[in-house]
Amino acid sequence: MFTKINYEGPVLQQYTTLSKQLNALLEGEKDVIANLSNASALLNQFLDRINWVGFYLMKDGELVLGPFQGLPACVRIAVGRGVCGTAVSKRETMLIDDVHAFPGHIACDAASNSEIVIPLIKNDEVIGVLDIDSPLKGRFTSEDKEGLELFVQTLMKFLGSMSNVGVK
């Protein structure tokens, strides 16, 4: 059963606690959609000052909307387009302080002003991204980047066969 906890200490310590909580939450579950759904819900509960958190999964050469928390979102994003597509093509985390200054930004929610996108890499292949938006410019820090990369590293242990959700 899930229990909301108080996260204490420095930011990276809080992310370490969050990753341990994710590990306990997903332990023994093999369903990819269930695990991504719980991961997005956990992040939505943990992070403040955000307006969207969720996953896009690679299907047939493009990103397709997966489990998320927030307003309805863009369904398909081409690789190399917007912050999410750029994270896939560069295979690196994108931390954007002002999305309106990012060339080719895709405005799914006009209220979003900053964004962080972490690629999900399995067997040396990008299988999707974790995408988090905030209505505040400069919301995400280098500590958020490090902590969210730890979160994704923990999550990847629970994303077994992606073929059951159409991911290749």
Side-chain angles (χ1 to χ4, degrees):
M1 178 192 309
F2 176 76
T3 304
K4 185 174 179 179
I5 63 172
N6 291 324
Y7 300 94
E8 299 175 349
V11 173
L12 290 177
Q13 182 180 328
Q14 292 179 40
Y15 274 110
T16 299
T17 301
L18 179 71
S19 294
K20 289 177 182 175
Q21 190 177 25
L22 177 69
N23 192 70
L25 182 63
L26 304 186
E27 189 67 44
E29 181 54 59
K30 295 184 188 316
D31 187 87
V32 171
I33 297 300
N35 287 339
L36 292 174
S37 296
N38 271 333
S40 63
L42 183 60
L43 283 170
N44 192 53
Q45 173 264 319
F46 171 75
L47 294 168
D48 62 352
R49 302 170 294 144
I50 65 165
N51 58 328
W52 200 92
V53 56
F55 297 91
Y56 281 90
L57 302 174
M58 288 298 299
K59 293 185 183 181
D60 300 323
E62 65 183 341
L63 289 166
V64 179
L65 182 64
F68 70 93
Q69 304 276 310
L71 294 176
C74 303
V75 174
R76 296 178 184 278
I77 300 173
V79 172
R81 224 176 138 239
V83 179
C84 289
T86 301
V88 171
S89 65
K90 290 187 172 188
R91 300 172 57 95
E92 65 185 41
T93 298
M94 304 294 297
L95 192 157
I96 308 300
D97 288 332
D98 180 358
V99 295
H100 306 290
F102 187 85
H105 169 65
I106 302 167
C108 294
D109 182 348
S112 294
N113 285 305
S114 63
E115 185 171 9
I116 187 167
V117 178
I118 299 96
L120 307 177
I121 300 174
K122 184 176 179 86
N123 299 326
D124 203 37
E125 186 175 342
V126 178
I127 60 168
V129 297
L130 166 61
D131 179 21
I132 308 171
D133 296 349
S134 173
L136 303 176
K137 288 185 179 176
R139 158 62 182 88
F140 304 104
T141 66
S142 60
E143 288 178 317
D144 289 310
K145 176 183 181 288
E146 188 176 339
L148 289 166
E149 288 174 341
L150 174 64
F151 184 89
V152 165
Q153 183 180 10
T154 302
L155 175 64
M156 293 309 294
K157 297 187 307 187
F158 298 97
L159 299 185
S161 172
M162 298 293 285
S163 62
N164 62 343
V165 290
V167 177
K168 296 180 179 179

